Amino acid sequence: FFLYLSSLVYDVILFTSNQEDDLSDYVINGLMAMSNEAFSRIAACCTWIGDFLTAWIVTDMMLQDRMYPNWCKRLRRIWASYGGRMRIGVFWAVSILSSTTVFFIVVTNYINWDHYSTTSLATTEFGRCILASVILLLDIIIVIQDWEFPHFIPGMDIKLPGVNTSSLKFKVPKFMAVEAFTIHITGKWFNYGVLFIVMILDINMWINQFFYKPQYYGQYAAPDGTLYTVVDLQQLSDMDPQKLNYTWRVQHINPVDNDTYIATDHHTGSMYTGIAIGMKIITFIPIFLSFSLFFAGIAIMGRFTPEQQRYEELQDDD
């Protein structure tokens, strides 16, 4: 919020100090200097990192667990072998190999989703809203199901993935605070801190699909509901909005290549049905349910720390 207010002040000073020159290149605005496609690829990579770390930490936590000594004895013994170097080596080997593969597929579009979405996997904006809200629900359930929720006070020495320590410590320099202090991040807070960032991306995905209109992204719908994307950036920059429709682009010829405009547009299997906003509200139900469970869990189980609860139980026994 402070950065937003500072940007407004900066823009006001910029325009009031010099009203003759073109200062549009120096204005702070909401543009990210990248296309929606580039942002989507970056978001996909970040989401993979967050989900991978979450899945790995939960698995690693279960294999390090000592509360259930009779569960998977052999696998846990192998996992903790060589002084913990086995779990560290497996983590870095799997993470590097899998992340490299995923990043390659996302960045190069080696596996083209449009090739598969033309069949029964085709989605509409309503289905994509449902998908995003259910993913957010599952993310919050991952947090709620933790046996140490909502305090996350560790009862075991659970080490962080890829390292042989159970926490991270950062010393804040004294010039940045009234008194020097240390930030101590345990495995649980590290795990769910990353997951929190993933939740923000999931909410952003839901919002984008909730308010989705093809023309906002240089797209238009065919009579069968499938989408076309205008890939020629020059056409998009000079295009009359009235020309961004299926009928016009089928009937008119592009003088550059003497072919219809639609011939150079990218056809996807994803669909747009134009469903009303009122119907899309239904997709908010999983999100509402997830946050209701989250805050209800905090209200019910977060009033007392485990130490206070044990003290209360001892008082009741007396």
Side-chain angles (χ1 to χ4, degrees):
F1 180 74
F2 176 76
L3 290 176
Y4 174 72
L5 292 180
S6 301
S7 66
L8 294 180
V9 173
Y10 167 82
D11 289 342
V12 170
I13 296 175
L14 187 67
F15 282 110
T16 55
S17 61
N18 190 337
Q19 300 180 355
E20 298 179 358
D21 300 331
D22 182 12
L23 303 175
S24 58
D25 292 339
Y26 303 96
V27 174
I28 298 178
N29 52 36
L31 301 178
M32 299 180 64
M34 68 174 66
S35 64
N36 285 305
E37 180 184 11
F39 176 79
S40 298
R41 295 182 189 278
I42 294 174
C45 293
C46 293
T47 302
W48 159 257
I49 294 174
D51 289 336
F52 173 79
L53 284 177
T54 300
W56 189 275
I57 291 177
V58 171
T59 304
D60 192 18
M61 188 187 309
M62 293 170 62
L63 294 175
Q64 292 184 64
D65 175 40
R66 293 188 296 273
M67 296 179 65
Y68 305 95
N70 296 322
W71 179 77
C72 291
K73 291 183 178 180
R74 185 175 181 182
L75 178 59
R76 290 166 60 190
R77 186 166 55 252
I78 296 174
W79 190 250
S81 60
Y82 301 101
R85 290 191 294 273
M86 173 63 76
R87 53 173 290 274
I88 295 175
V90 172
F91 168 79
W92 288 112
V94 173
S95 60
I96 292 174
L97 179 61
S98 59
S99 296
T100 301
T101 303
V102 171
F103 293 166
F104 173 78
I105 294 173
V106 170
V107 173
T108 64
N109 206 26
Y110 182 76
I111 297 179
N112 192 341
W113 174 251
D114 292 328
H115 174 72
Y116 300 96
S117 63
T118 54
T119 59
S120 59
L121 296 177
T123 60
T124 65
E125 68 274 23
F126 183 81
R128 293 187 290 270
C129 278
I130 288 288
L131 176 62
S133 60
V134 170
I135 290 175
L136 181 62
L137 171 63
L138 296 177
D139 287 340
I140 293 183
I141 287 177
I142 290 175
V143 179
I144 295 175
Q145 59 81 40
D146 193 290
W147 56 71
E148 293 167 1
F149 174 83
H151 299 286
F152 300 124
I153 298 175
M156 300 176 298
D157 184 24
I158 299 297
K159 294 180 172 58
L160 293 169
V163 294
N164 202 26
T165 181
S166 59
S167 62
L168 297 176
K169 294 183 180 181
F170 303 94
K171 288 188 177 181
V172 178
K174 193 170 184 179
F175 71 87
M176 297 179 61
V178 178
E179 295 182 1
F181 61 92
T182 301
I183 298 177
H184 185 199
I185 304 175
T186 59
K188 293 292 182 67
W189 288 105
F190 176 82
N191 179 22
Y192 298 130
V194 174
L195 188 60
F196 176 76
I197 299 175
V198 175
M199 290 181 190
I200 295 176
L201 294 174
D202 292 336
I203 293 175
N204 178 73
M205 175 187 172
W206 179 81
I207 293 174
N208 287 341
Q209 294 303 320
F210 189 85
F211 296 103
Y212 172 78
K213 297 289 184 183
Q215 58 268 28
Y216 296 164
Y217 302 89
Q219 297 176 322
Y220 57 92
D224 62 354
T226 56
L227 291 167
Y228 283 84
T229 303
V230 179
V231 296
D232 190 325
L233 298 181
Q234 186 62 38
Q235 290 185 30
L236 285 175
S237 61
D238 301 334
M239 183 180 294
D240 182 347
Q242 299 298 326
K243 299 178 181 179
L244 191 60
N245 63 77
Y246 180 84
T247 303
W248 190 93
R249 298 187 71 79
V250 166
Q251 295 177 351
H252 290 75
I253 302 298
N254 187 349
V256 176
D257 53 14
N258 200 29
D259 200 354
T260 57
Y261 281 94
I262 199 173
T264 58
D265 296 340
H266 178 66
H267 185 216
T268 71
S270 300
M271 303 181 69
Y272 175 71
T273 60
I275 188 171
I277 292 290
M279 290 296 295
K280 288 184 181 179
I281 292 294
I282 298 175
T283 66
F284 185 72
I285 294 176
I287 297 178
F288 175 78
L289 178 62
S290 61
F291 280 104
S292 297
L293 291 174
F294 180 77
F295 289 113
I298 293 177
I300 296 173
M301 297 178 288
R303 291 177 296 175
F304 304 102
T305 64
E307 289 78 6
Q308 291 174 323
Q309 291 177 0
R310 284 193 290 269
Y311 177 77
E312 292 290 336
E313 292 174 356
L314 292 175
Q315 292 291 342
D316 293 339
D317 293 338
D318 293 341

